[in-house]
Amino acid sequence: MSELTAKTIAELRQGLASRALSARELATAYNLAVEAGRPLNAYTVATPDLALAAADAADQARASGDAPGALSGIPLGIKDLFATEGIETTAGSAILKGFKPQYESTVSGKLKAAGAGMLGKLNMDEFAMGSSNETSAFGPVISPWKRNDGGNAALTPGGSSGGSAAAVAAGLAAGATGTDTGGSIRQPAAFTGICGIKPTYGRCSRWGVVAFASSLDQAGPMAKTVRDCAILLEVMSGYDKKDSTSLDLPVPKWEEGLSSNLRGKRVGIPKEYRIDGVPAEIDVLWDKGVEWLRDAGAEPVEISLPHTAHALPTYYIIAPAEASSNLARYDGIRYGLRETGEGGLDGLYAATRAAGFGAEVKRRIMIGTYVLSAGFYDAYFTKAQKVRTLIKRDFTQAFERCDFILTPTAPSAAFGLQEKMSDPLAMYLNDVFAVPASLAGLPAMSVPGGLDAQGLPLGLHLIGRELDEQGVLNAALAIEERAGFTAKAERWW
Ligand code: GLN
């Protein structure tokens, strides 16, 4: 990692403001890193010219004394789920290959308007369905991390925002956008030793974000530090009349509000999250996390989230149901791939969808269609909606006793490519700690806590009250300051 690409966004902002550094110099360093990082397969498309154009605009604005945007000259990667004007946007799917939107998603547009430069589009699981980035039509992303066992096994960076996580961890972007439907920001952040926050549902506009499960999908930032996440989230958030679920609330000044003094706060430790089969190291790290928060002034309290065991089955009904409906639009007529097939229009639909969707997406569409079918709707979909309400109520009751909740982010460190692809249920289990907060629409964040015995990063997970991103960021900051996590993936690419 060149010196520049190792810096945080806060440091770069300082360097650019003091003119110690030009935005062009920075964009050039990142463009080179993206090029050299090809073996990681983190990007589906590189846009070095866009990064340079934004950099030149940033340098010119500074030279002429204009007030710089909040991200003036900062090079970012954009997950390929965000529509980017004129730049191929595929959601990691063959069915959208070649699709160049005529519009920009609200979130990526806000980053652009704040002066950020786009380095390219980041690889991801197809339609954000997956936990390992292996369902991508562009092939898996390879984690920059290796086990310290002397072997050379290729590991997953997690998913679905695997490209975003690998890019930030390997210095191929100063920060990145991710999206999280059931853990897709937090689990990859944990697997790669970076930070990622999913805000309260509705904070970031979903307009122009390819829909997976609309009642769960949220955008959020992935970056090296808690502060960088606060900086990015402030720009990405805000009301958008083009998204009917967008929250019409002012965006708090999260960066200004950062404080790791947790005196007077109570941290809830949910007893139902102690589950069998989780490596002892993860429990040990969890206990350390409690101690770090206590050291920062917080008082630990045991809490109960009684419906936790039902969260994963509930998610894997609701998310596929919404996906099957959202993905009906890929019909070979309106976007991307078209296979004519035989038998007129129906044949065209069938041939296009058969050729364009990968196996996991097809599985989700079939599950979703099944649980929404007339004979099974009440038994599955209606029931899942009721359980979702109970899960949300668990959190409401827990937050009468605590201010935020601490859990591990994922039940394991990064696993090897191919290890779980033949067993969808083992893959789905990755989301066990992440999914409840998604179903409840709550802000949640992963922050690096340490390394396991194999030298791989492990994350700690903070869940906050609705709209209390500040509480989540502050608790994460307290952990960040105490964990002293400075490990970096050794460069092999
Ligand atoms: N891994 C989960 C899934 O496959 C979550 C994905 C996500 O958050 N987009 O659905």
Side-chain angles (χ1 to χ4, degrees):
M1 226 186 260
S2 92
E3 217 184 299
L4 280 182
T5 58
K7 290 196 186 307
T8 65
I9 293 174
E11 289 166 347
L12 293 173
R13 186 177 59 183
Q14 175 65 34
L16 291 165
S18 68
R19 311 264 192 101
L21 170 69
S22 78
R24 175 161 266 266
E25 204 183 327
L26 179 62
T28 304
Y30 266 109
N31 282 339
L32 286 170
V34 169
E35 199 48 44
R38 274 180 191 276
L40 302 174
N41 200 25
Y43 283 89
T44 57
V45 179
T47 53
D49 295 344
L50 292 182
L52 288 175
D56 288 346
D59 285 335
Q60 266 158 30
R62 281 202 175 85
S64 58
D66 296 348
L71 294 170
S72 178
I74 303 293
L76 301 177
I78 304 293
K79 184 176 182 180
D80 201 28
L81 206 61
F82 294 82
T84 41
E85 191 180 349
I87 305 294
E88 191 180 28
T89 299
T90 68
S93 181
I95 211 161
L96 278 173
K97 273 199 180 157
F99 171 56
K100 291 190 178 161
Q102 293 170 18
Y103 52 89
E104 184 81 23
S105 80
T106 297
V107 163
S108 56
K110 279 174 179 281
L111 292 167
K112 219 176 177 178
M118 180 166 84
L119 293 160
K121 301 298 291 288
L122 291 160
N123 200 348
M124 54 178 286
D125 278 299
E126 186 176 4
F127 287 106
M129 298 173 191
S131 304
S132 65
N133 217 118
E134 288 168 283
T135 71
S136 169
F138 295 84
V141 177
I142 321 284
S143 175
W145 291 86
K146 297 279 187 196
R147 295 189 180 114
N148 60 10
D149 58 5
N152 193 29
L155 303 180
T156 173
S160 67
S161 310
S164 310
V168 172
L172 316 185
T177 61
T179 63
D180 191 310
T181 302
S184 276
I185 287 176
R186 294 163 283 158
Q187 181 255 24
F191 278 16
T192 54
I194 65 165
C195 296
I197 180 166
K198 176 195 91 73
T200 307
Y201 181 80
R203 274 284 191 208
C204 289
S205 168
R206 289 182 297 107
W207 195 79
V209 182
V210 176
F212 165 10
S214 306
S215 76
L216 295 155
D217 298 342
Q218 257 306 282
M222 301 171 75
K224 292 189 185 86
T225 63
V226 173
R227 177 173 297 270
D228 284 3
C229 282
I231 294 171
L232 291 172
L233 185 60
E234 247 175 80
V235 175
M236 293 165 70
S237 298
Y239 175 63
D240 180 8
K241 61 179 187 314
K242 290 189 282 195
D243 171 2
S244 62
T245 60
S246 157
L247 291 168
D248 192 359
L249 293 170
V251 178
K253 299 234 174 292
W254 287 306
E255 188 191 9
E256 227 173 270
L258 284 177
S259 159
S260 55
N261 180 351
L262 304 181
R263 216 161 310 139
K265 302 284 181 199
R266 285 160 307 166
V267 49
I269 313 301
K271 59 175 191 237
E272 292 81 4
Y273 281 52
R274 298 256 175 218
I275 55 174
D276 290 340
V278 170
E281 288 170 296
I282 288 188
D283 271 339
V284 170
L285 177 68
W286 193 5
D287 293 340
K288 266 196 207 164
V290 176
E291 286 316 308
W292 288 329
L293 293 175
R294 194 202 293 273
D295 184 58
E299 179 201 339
V301 290
E302 188 183 81
I303 56 161
S304 173
L305 297 166
H307 296 90
T308 298
H310 303 299
L312 216 45
T314 301
Y315 173 84
Y316 276 98
I317 291 172
I318 292 174
E322 295 185 15
S324 72
S325 160
N326 274 326
L327 270 56
R329 75 191 66 172
Y330 304 105
D331 55 5
I333 304 292
R334 284 173 283 193
Y335 324 79
L337 183 79
R338 176 177 305 163
E339 294 282 337
T340 43
E342 278 169 29
L345 193 57
D346 285 349
L348 181 148
Y349 292 160
T352 301
R353 290 166 69 84
F357 289 137
E360 182 61 28
V361 172
K362 286 176 185 161
R363 177 167 21 245
R364 306 272 180 123
I365 292 174
M366 284 189 286
I367 296 172
T369 312
Y370 180 81
V371 300
L372 289 175
S373 61
F376 298 101
Y377 189 95
D378 281 339
Y380 290 104
F381 190 67
T382 308
K383 185 78 158 242
Q385 298 289 20
K386 289 179 180 168
V387 180
R388 181 176 187 175
T389 302
L390 294 175
I391 289 167
K392 193 163 165 57
R393 199 165 67 191
D394 281 357
F395 281 107
T396 308
Q397 287 169 352
F399 283 128
E400 286 167 12
R401 304 198 50 228
C402 65
D403 299 287
F404 50 85
I405 294 170
L406 179 76
T407 81
T409 307
S412 73
F415 44 91
L417 293 182
Q418 292 302 330
E419 249 169 54
K420 293 191 201 278
M421 271 309 263
S422 56
D423 185 352
L425 290 183
M427 192 69 94
Y428 297 170
L429 272 173
N430 261 281
D431 305 322
V432 64
F433 300 134
V435 148
S438 295
L439 289 167
L442 301 173
M445 172 158 202
S446 182
V447 58
L451 298 176
D452 74 358
Q454 298 191 302
L456 298 179
L458 297 173
L460 284 168
H461 183 219
L462 294 143
I463 307 171
R465 291 195 179 101
E466 200 163 78
L467 302 178
D468 190 21
E469 285 80 7
Q470 192 74 66
V472 168
L473 289 161
N474 287 355
L477 184 66
I479 289 179
E480 184 178 60
E481 287 174 356
R482 287 163 181 80
F485 184 90
T486 52
K488 292 269 174 291
E490 227 170 280
R491 185 164 169 183
W492 52 263
W493 58 92

